[in-house]
Amino acid sequence: FADDPSEQLAAGLTPRGDVAGEGETDIGGRRAGDVGGPQDVEGIARGRAGERSTDDRGTRESLFEHVHEDTRQLIRRGTGFGIPENVIEDQIEDVGLAVQAKERDRGAFLLASEAGTGKTFVLGGVVRELRNRGQQKFVYVTMNQDLISQTKKDLSDYGVDDVEFVTYNQLSNGKIPNVEDAVLIFDEAHNVKNVTSKNGMAAQRMMEQSPFTVLASATPFENPVQAKYLEPTGIFTEFGGHAKWAQEFGAKAITDKAIDENGEDVKDVR
């Protein structure tokens, strides 16, 4: 995201590093070996370490201040499963970034770390820290019931017992939870990129209702037009909407056949 024309948007989304392959699934802790073992994850972290700078996100030290020590210690348990120390530090930093985004009234936080870097534990840390700050309701959308069971087990010490878990299949079948006043979490968020699919349309309605959405995916979008699914969070408002933001990346506005109420051609980004 180094080529983002707006530092403000980069600060709001904070995706990390190169985009991973479509088929990869992020799972943390003891399962990090599924992506090649700790040495591969450490290489990712070395690449990330050089990109941190002091911008409106703050320094690593200032971001750590957003994370209570007990949460940091929970995340640091990952070293016992072979997670490199620098990756653990990145996880804590990401929790701090998400908390900071919520405190700054941003509509969304996008966690786009590479597969295998422990996004599950970052999400657990976010739940724990926001709950410590008074947030009561969380809705967590993920792939299937087996993954829900595994996530509850992995995050058993993070206080996720009363989190409402929903699968994408349930969304597509019309089971859409009430997310008013809830922090909404989409794990493997690329499943809602297609705004015309059942999952995508459900996610659009949910993001409109939720005051804060956390989206986790190693492949959040492949081009600026695909980022349209993030629009209900309000992150493009200051740029005049998603279409204008996408054009900053080179997306072309085309003339639609439709006309508006004044009989004028409607232009949109496709």
Side-chain angles (χ1 to χ4, degrees), residues 82-160:
I83 303 298
E85 180 64 29
N86 48 1
V87 175
I88 297 294
E89 299 294 293
D90 289 344
Q91 292 174 354
I92 297 171
E93 180 183 334
D94 284 335
V95 174
L97 282 166
V99 171
Q100 178 176 266
K102 176 70 163 57
E103 291 177 342
R104 292 181 175 182
D105 293 323
R106 298 188 186 274
F109 178 80
L110 177 60
L111 178 65
S113 302
E114 288 87 346
T117 52
K119 289 191 287 295
T120 298
F121 295 99
V122 174
L123 296 177
V126 171
V127 170
R128 183 180 176 87
E129 287 301 310
L130 293 183
R131 192 187 301 282
N132 286 340
R133 288 163 172 78
Q135 177 64 39
Q136 296 182 354
K137 187 175 181 180
F138 298 85
V139 175
Y140 191 123
V141 186
T142 192
M143 295 296 293
N144 52 55
Q145 292 294 336
D146 287 343
L147 193 54
I148 289 175
S149 297
Q150 185 65 57
T151 300
K152 287 181 177 180
K153 181 179 179 180
D154 289 344
L155 301 181
S156 59
D157 292 332
Y158 286 75
V160 299

